[in-house]
């Protein structure tokens, strides 16, 4: 079976996000007011083959934990879409 | 009113995504097989004040077009959540 995983990897809420802070400050420069908090993470879309949904989840978890996310600073969540 | 925008910024489908290609190749190193295609973009979460939903959308569009996304190489989409 073929699956598509839509993965969001965000910095932990407790951590400062310097890139997000900088973007928040720069909103004034493009005339956008009222922006309080910007947090910037990664969005990953991944197509994979797996025997079933449980197998696909296990693969996505391994990929996130060992390669894509740094669990000390980031947390991940994902949605799995069945393609065929 | 307060809104939260959940923004996804991804490289255009027609473009090579070298970061994604590298990650695809490295899946073997963490014993994950069957991964065909990985595309890596940005996930941005932004809290903002606006008078109504149309105003909030207009602010998020401006922020994406002028600051967050590079529309030559990336496209964006977002969901708007009403906080209060």
């Amino acid at each position: 079976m073929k699956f598509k995983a839509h993965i969001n990897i965000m910095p932990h809420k407790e951590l400062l996000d310097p890139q997000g802070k900088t973007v928040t400050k720069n909103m004034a420069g493009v005339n956008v007011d009222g922006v309080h908090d910007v947090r910037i993470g990664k969005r990953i879309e991944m197509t994979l083959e797996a025997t079933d949904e449980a197998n696909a989840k296990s693969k996505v978890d391994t990929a996130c934990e060992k390669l894509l996310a740094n669990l000390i600073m980031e947390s991940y969540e994902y949605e799995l879409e069945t393609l065929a």
Side-chain angles (χ1 to χ4, degrees), chain A:
Chain A
M1 292 175 77
K2 216 167 174 180
F3 297 88
K4 186 164 189 178
H6 305 265
I7 307 167
N8 296 327
I9 300 178
M10 298 300 292
H12 288 319
K13 295 213 185 336
E14 307 77 41
L15 291 180
L16 281 173
D17 173 9
Q19 197 185 0
K21 288 265 175 290
T22 305
V23 168
T24 309
K25 279 183 200 157
N26 281 293
M27 285 294 166
V30 295
N31 292 315
V32 177
D33 59 1
V35 175
H36 292 299
D37 189 36
V38 180
R39 295 188 74 80
I40 301 185
K42 280 176 285 189
R43 169 83 171 182
I44 297 173
E45 301 193 343
M46 182 167 114
T47 338
L48 70 159
E49 305 258 4
T51 50
D52 55 22
E53 198 177 317
N55 181 234
K57 283 187 176 172
S58 138
K59 286 184 179 188
V60 176
D61 280 320
T62 308
C64 286
E65 284 160 22
K66 294 202 178 164
L67 188 60
L68 301 171
N70 170 357
L71 297 182
I72 297 168
M73 299 178 67
E74 299 167 325
S75 55
Y76 70 90
E77 49 163 36
Y78 60 87
E79 279 167 37
L80 206 57
E81 179 192 346
T82 309
L83 293 184

